[in-house]
Amino acid sequence: MSWTNERVELLKKLWTEGHSASQIAAELGGVTRNAVIGKVHRLGLSGRAKTAAPVAKTRRPRAAAPAASSGQPAATARPASAGQPRVSGATALKADASPAPMARPAVEPMAELVPISERATILTLNERTCKWPVGDPSSEDFYFCGRHSDPGVPYCAHHCKVAYQPVSDRRRNERKVANARAS
DNA sequence: CCCTGATTCGC
DNA sequence: GCGAATCAGG
């Protein structure tokens, strides 16, 4: 992917609005946060909310070069959910948020007790945060569980149990479920 | 550990 | 110019 005018403009906009480099990278898609930061610097629009620059920091010589030129870069930022509309709640969330947990069997009483500090918004979710929706998507109080989940597993340990319970009879699904519980 | 931005430098 | 690797800090 290259830095087209449009992408640069979007970058400027989001950066100015205070989005983090990783969030911007996610919205742009096809770039890592490093790429975003690098571009930001080249554009000369760094130092967003900084006071005085300390300057001078004795950089290290930097180890030997990777030398891994061609082929797959480093498999980083994969736009798993790129191009999120970044809307406020309802609409966007309802559309593609997470696989709405339909029938939810009585698992454990304790469930929706997520510390506010760990709650996630559509922009905070990543490969290792629980994407279990909590509350009414059309409500302002809506949020995603956000607790830790193993990379690749959509939910935290608890919500995995809830989500995959109905089919626990089949040994087929042991892949996901088992892995999810292992941890 | 997760994350943030800053910097260097091979490409 | 680009961005991975690295650093420094929360």
Side-chain angles (χ1 to χ4, degrees), chain A residues 57-129:
Chain A
K57 264 298 174 68
T58 320
R59 317 247 72 251
R60 256 200 61 225
R62 206 173 187 282
S69 53
S70 59
Q72 293 288 35
T76 37
R78 163 167 48 272
S81 59
Q84 285 297 351
R86 80 138 272 149
V87 190
S88 59
T91 39
L93 301 178
K94 249 183 180 177
D96 63 354
S98 33
M102 316 175 81
R104 102 177 44 173
V107 181
E108 303 292 307
M110 58 81 150
E112 331 299 10
L113 298 175
V114 184
I116 299 178
S117 60
E118 291 182 20
R119 294 179 181 183
T121 66
I122 191 69
L123 289 171
T124 311
L125 293 176
N126 60 37
E127 300 77 18
R128 57 181 70 81
T129 54

Side-chain angles (χ1 to χ4, degrees), chain A residues 14 18-29 33 36 121 123-124:
Chain A
L14 295 175
H19 288 75
S20 70
S22 63
Q23 291 177 327
I24 295 173
E27 295 207 12
L28 286 172
R33 73 178 200 91
V36 169
T121 66
L123 289 171
T124 311

